[in-house]
Each structure stands twice: as structure tokens, then as C-alpha cells.
Amino acid sequence: MGETDLYPCVPLEMSADRLDDLVDKAKTYALMHGICMRRKDAFDTDALHFAPFVLFPSPFPRKEFNKAIEIQTILNELMHKVAHDDDFLRESLKNTIQVDDFTGRLFQLYDKVQKHGGSAQELSLGMLRSDLMLDNHCCPIDSKCKLNGQAFCCWKQVELNTIASGFGWLGPASGLLHRYVVQEAGYPEHLKNIPENNALSGLANALVNSWKLYNQPKSVILFLVEDVTYNICDQKFHEFEIREQCPEVFVIRKTLTEIGNRGKLTEDKRLIIDGHEVAVIYMRCGYHPDQYPSEVEWDARFMMEMSLAIKSPSVHYHLAGTKKVQQELAKPGVLEKFLGDKAKIESVRDIFTGLYSLDKDEIGNASFQRAIETPEKFVLKPQREGGGNNVYGADIKPFLEKIADSDERSAYILMDMIEPPITTNYMVRPGEAPLLAKCISELGIFGYVIGTKDSILENKQVGHMLRTKLSHVNEGGVAAGLGALDSVYLVDASRCCLN
Ligand code: ADP
Ligand code: MG
């Protein structure tokens, strides 16, 4: 297989029979425990495929994992404050909204809500997922993991999601799958290194607690969904968990189009759809321009925003999650505005990798030039979510040259390319033979925060998810068909590196 930066947690060389047996057991476990997705090849609401997964959990340095868990409540606090800082959002996004239509529309919506007196609901529910990767660049020169066996990489934030942050079920479920697989493979002693993961109960709890705050016995929790949901198990298990936690509440699923066509606001701004009063809106849709095919969907979003329902997210939270805001937060002196405590500020600054504006000004021009000269060091990002939108490496130069003289530059941000350590694993996909491959992983930490502009009522870290992709592929969304489910296998420095 050649060079690997982190040891796999079990030896991967095994007979074909043994591999077949383990893969078969793993697939069966996945199918029978709802670790599944709808088929993309042949749509069939009566059948599911197992979601792609890697056979064994991936090594992740324990110290770095704990750091990621610990920092989450600080990130929650930061994002809550950013979302409620009108001046900051306005200033950060002022150029971007001129040239990026979708962010522009979201901003118009934000303005329109304010012009109409603001939302009837002061509380917001932020259900966040901070995505990160280990970064070899963190290792001091000449002491990369594989060289001295002691130093190992720290991690950098890829992005922070404030809308439709998925895998609250498939994240913990992958840990369950891997617990089963390492036992079947004969390594029960490995169980202690697969950390517990309560993301699903934590996120469901966020929705139930918000419903209780709304305090209207007959009201429902609304899942805002796509016309067709491929990542159906992930959503449905949230629903099942809510049913377990709170027998009194019902969940309904609606699209933006349905809300636009059939939703109504009462005089006191209660949102009613098909006879249900909506207490909480959990958006698993609404983050992509394609999900607003007409004005009906924008009208629906406006109605939701104005209503008394508690939104996850409210439009200001949605805007706070844009890549442009992430880049603005990384500028010197900005975190200080939001986090008083010096230690907190330092800890957050430490997880940012280089983030640069490409605006047509002195600073933007310098970044623009660097990207043209050394494109392999960067990722170019538009203001989009859901994967498949970024520009990488050699593609950056021609892309930027085309927009060199245009204000369109402000629609993008530039980010240092993170270079995660390489691991080896078997990737298992429906209908395909298992593939022994070099992989890289991205960890997501879930958190939620409930509060108003002036106060935070709840702020929690609730769990994690890991996804893994082939090392030479730029993007690895599992729902998008590129990545695979994975879970964390905690390792200490001396075990984590090849000598
Ligand atoms: P999206 O909102 O579409 O998920 P992301 O910023 O998460 O956008 O980028 C999508 C994917 O691209 C990530 O999951 C990661 O695999 C890869 N990626 C993004 N930023 C970087 C980076 N700075 N270095 C390396 N890979 C990156
Ligand atoms: Mg992402």
C-alpha cells in the first residue's frame, strides 16, 4: 500500500475469505440497524441501501479529539453572538451580497424581517456542526508524525455549519457498526478506544427543549425537508428519538413549497400548516438555491422567519454560517469583539487556518496573486453548502483569471489547503467489492445553543461524526456519494505514527 501516516487500528492484511466474512457481517449490521440511505440509482421508497462505510474505525489522536470536544461550547457561543451582531453581519457580507445572488436573497430576507418589525420569536436554536481535519502543516518542519513518532498533527477547522448539519444519527451509528466489527474481527480490547457518541439524543434533546420553551401542548415540531430525501435514515432516527424522549410531541415533515402554498400566520404570528401549530422548525433543507425554485419558497421562508416558531436556524444564524463570515472571523482583532476571555480567543484562533478575502482591494489583490502563483496551496470557496462547489489546486488559476477584473471575486473566499494524514482502510459501497485504499478523514463535532440576542439559555457539545474519503479526492460528502461513514479510534502519540 505504500506510505501511511497513521497506523490502522487492526492489521489490514487478511485472507479473502476472512475479509468477505467481515464485510458481509458489517453490511448486514448496517442494513438491519438503519445505517442506510435511499438508492440514488433506482429510486424506490420501499427499499434502502446501506450507506457507504469504511470497515474499521480510523485512528485519531486522543489529545486532538478531546480538544475538539472541549472547544465546541466556545464555538457555539461565538456563533450565537455573531448571528446576533447586525453590524458585523452587514459589514462582513456587504460586498458578497452584491455579487452572490443566493446570499443576496438571504440578506434581503433578513432585512425584510427587520423592516417588518422583526421575528415574533426572540429565541433561536443553533444546531451546529464544526468540521475539522488533522493538518500535517501543524507539525514543526522535520518532525512530522511519521518521522519522530511523538509529535503529531493538530487540526484546523474546515467550516462551521449552522443549517442542515446532518449525520446526528449516522455519526453515532457508525461507532456502533465499528464496535460490532472490531469484536467480530477478534479485537474486543479495542472497544475502549471508540469513544461514546450521543449526538442523536443530544440533538433530539435540543429540539424537544425548544418545543417545551414554546410551551403550547398541541404544537408540533416541523422538519423542513427536500422533495426527495436520500439521507432518510439520518432524519428519521431524529424523529424516532424525539418520540422516545417526549411522548407528547408530534413531528411533521413539510417542504418549503408546501409551507408556501398551505402555511398561514395567525394574527399573533403563530405558524399554522395543515391544521398544526408549529413550535419548532428543524431545517434539513433550504441551504441551496435549487431548493427555492420560485417565489413560493421564498415567501415560505419569510413566513417562517416572521413567525413565533423557533427556527433552527433563523436567517441570521444561516448568514452567520457563510464562508465569508468564517473568513472575516479569522481577521486579526475580530474574535476579540465576541469573546471576552483571552484564553477562549487564543483557543479559537488556533483552529483557524489561513482564510483570505479576494475582494478588489489591496489585501484581496495580494491574496488573488498568491492563489494564481501557488494554487496547489489553496481551496477556493463560493458561498454554498452541501458539497461539490469548491475549486481546488490547478483549477484555481484559470478560474480566477476569468474573474480577475470582476466584482464577482467577492463571491468567493480563499482558504489554505489542509493536508490531513493518510490512513488505510477498506471502503465498502453497495454493489461494489471492498476497496483497500488510502484515505483521509474529516471530523464533525455537534453542538447546540438556545438563546436570545442578550442571553444564552443552553449551550452544549453533544457528539460527533467522522467521514472518510479516498485521499486523492477533493470532496467527501457521504450523501453526495463520495465519502464513507467512519468512526473515531483514539490513539496516543506513541502508537499513532510510523517510525
Ligand atoms: P460544503 O459547505 O460544501 O460542505 P466545505 O467547506 O465543507 O463546503 O468543503 C467541502 C469539502 O471540501 C470538505 O468536506 C473537505 O473535504 C474539502 N475541503 C474544504 N476546505 C478544505 C481545505 N481548506 N483543505 C482541504 N480540504 C478542504
Ligand atoms: Mg462541509
Side-chain angles (χ1 to χ4, degrees):
M1 268 314 289
E3 213 174 318
T4 298
D5 295 327
L6 295 169
Y7 288 130
C9 71
V10 305
L12 296 178
E13 275 167 31
M14 61 183 90
S15 70
D17 281 354
R18 184 167 152 77
L19 178 64
D20 281 352
D21 180 54
L22 275 180
V23 167
D24 188 57
K25 282 176 170 158
K27 284 183 185 180
T28 314
Y29 186 96
L31 281 167
M32 294 183 181
H33 289 80
I35 307 175
C36 298
M37 291 192 174
R38 283 210 204 286
R39 296 177 62 158
K40 274 204 167 152
D41 54 345
F43 185 73
D44 178 355
T45 49
D46 292 345
L48 297 169
H49 265 166
F50 68 83
F53 60 85
V54 291
L55 190 57
F56 297 107
S58 289
F60 199 99
R62 189 184 307 273
K63 197 173 123 223
E64 297 303 315
F65 179 78
N66 289 338
K67 190 177 104 183
I69 295 288
E70 278 159 24
I71 205 171
Q72 188 58 38
T73 51
I74 305 177
L75 296 175
N76 292 346
E77 178 190 341
L78 172 67
M79 294 316 290
H80 189 79
K81 290 180 173 166
V82 168
H84 289 90
D85 190 323
D86 180 71
D87 288 344
F88 180 72
L89 288 181
R90 235 166 249 289
E91 183 59 27
S92 300
L93 293 168
K94 68 171 190 243
N95 293 333
T96 307
I97 59 177
Q98 303 299 325
V99 286
D100 182 86
D101 288 346
F102 184 61
T103 314
R105 267 318 289 257
L106 287 174
F107 206 88
Q108 275 173 24
L109 177 72
Y110 171 69
D111 264 340
K112 189 170 162 192
V113 171
Q114 290 190 344
K115 280 194 194 101
H116 284 74
S119 176
Q121 181 55 260
E122 290 194 325
L123 287 171
S124 275
L125 166 60
M127 294 168 79
L128 312 180
R129 200 187 71 212
S130 170
D131 289 344
L132 58 100
M133 284 174 169
L134 292 168
D135 191 1
N136 284 336
H137 295 113
C138 301
C139 300
I141 307 276
D142 294 335
S143 66
K144 276 195 169 183
C145 327
K146 50 192 172 207
L147 291 179
N148 72 1
Q150 284 304 313
F152 53 87
C153 354
C154 68
W155 54 265
K156 294 291 174 192
Q157 185 174 63
V158 173
E159 65 158 345
L160 197 141
N161 300 285
T162 61
I163 183 165
S165 314
F167 294 79
W169 157 244
L170 290 176
S174 311
L176 302 178
L177 170 68
H178 281 155
R179 281 172 178 275
Y180 169 72
V181 172
V182 297
Q183 290 182 86
E184 290 301 311
Y187 300 92
E189 68 278 15
H190 282 11
L191 290 179
K192 64 179 185 302
N193 294 321
I194 302 176
E196 74 164 15
N197 188 355
N198 299 313
L200 184 69
S201 65
L203 295 172
N205 199 234
L207 292 163
V208 168
N209 287 355
S210 300
W211 179 77
K212 288 180 178 163
L213 284 166
Y214 188 86
N215 199 19
Q216 200 46 247
K218 288 266 182 311
S219 64
V220 300
I221 297 175
L222 182 146
F223 282 25
L224 187 80
V225 296
E226 314 92 315
D227 295 334
V228 177
T229 299
Y230 288 97
N231 196 6
I232 188 70
C233 292
D234 195 60
Q235 292 185 11
K236 276 286 170 182
F237 272 77
H238 284 72
E239 212 177 305
F240 304 154
E241 178 65 21
I242 289 170
R243 170 56 63 248
E244 288 285 312
Q245 286 186 18
C246 185
E248 306 96 84
V249 67
F250 284 90
V251 168
I252 60 170
R253 296 169 62 84
K254 303 284 171 198
T255 64
L256 275 171
T257 317
E258 287 170 325
I259 294 171
N261 288 332
R262 305 203 297 271
K264 287 190 180 51
L265 282 190
T266 62
E267 224 157 83
D268 55 353
K269 298 285 186 340
R270 292 170 193 276
L271 177 63
I272 311 288
I273 171 110
D274 299 342
H276 301 288
E277 177 175 346
V278 177
V280 182
I281 304 175
Y282 174 42
M283 294 183 69
R284 290 293 295 247
C285 180
Y287 53 82
H288 196 279
D290 293 351
Q291 295 162 344
Y292 298 80
S294 72
E295 287 305 304
V296 171
E297 290 74 24
W298 285 109
D299 291 346
R301 187 80 193 267
F302 178 63
M303 193 179 349
M304 286 159 47
E305 288 303 321
M306 290 303 294
S307 79
L308 198 59
I310 299 172
K311 277 81 63 185
S312 184
S314 308
V315 67
H316 44 282
Y317 249 101
H318 190 169
L319 290 168
T322 53
K323 303 212 163 42
K324 183 65 190 174
V325 165
Q326 182 189 14
Q327 175 253 302
E328 288 290 314
L329 283 172
K331 278 187 180 169
V334 175
L335 288 174
E336 283 78 353
K337 255 174 79 77
F338 298 104
L339 300 170
D341 184 302
K342 214 166 170 234
K344 283 186 185 175
I345 293 167
E346 285 309 313
S347 64
V348 175
R349 193 176 331 281
D350 194 45
I351 67 170
F352 289 159
T353 188
L355 286 148
Y356 317 95
S357 152
L358 290 170
D359 288 359
K360 276 168 69 187
D361 55 26
E362 206 178 317
I363 295 174
N365 287 342
S367 309
F368 190 91
Q369 209 44 45
R370 273 212 313 284
I372 298 257
E373 282 159 18
T374 52
E376 68 286 353
K377 290 189 176 158
F378 299 104
V379 181
L380 181 68
K381 298 190 178 184
Q383 312 302 311
R384 289 289 171 281
E385 302 294 329
N389 305 297
N390 301 337
V391 184
Y392 297 86
D395 295 337
I396 292 181
K397 186 166 180 268
F399 190 94
L400 283 184
E401 279 168 350
K402 257 194 248 155
I403 57 168
D405 301 322
S406 153
D407 289 335
E408 214 196 310
R409 280 169 40 172
S410 300
Y412 298 87
I413 63 146
L414 191 68
M415 184 172 183
D416 283 345
M417 176 74 102
I418 304 171
E419 192 193 295
I422 291 172
T423 58
T424 312
N425 214 325
Y426 290 100
M427 198 167 275
V428 184
R429 298 183 169 282
E432 293 176 21
L435 175 72
L436 183 63
K438 287 186 180 180
C439 300
I440 52 179
S441 304
E442 182 171 351
L443 180 67
I445 308 289
F446 291 103
Y448 79 84
V449 53
I450 305 177
T452 64
K453 188 175 193 320
D454 302 315
S455 74
I456 290 181
L457 305 182
E458 280 195 69
N459 176 1
K460 289 192 177 147
Q461 176 280 127
V462 294
H464 60 276
M465 53 85 80
L466 189 74
R467 43 192 169 156
T468 289
K469 63 183 181 180
L470 300 180
S471 63
H472 60 272
V473 175
N474 286 323
E475 297 209 12
V478 180
L482 293 166
L485 300 178
D486 197 354
S487 74
V488 170
Y489 183 83
L490 297 177
V491 293
D492 297 301
S494 55
R495 249 212 108 257
C496 112
C497 305
L498 282 176
N499 279 303

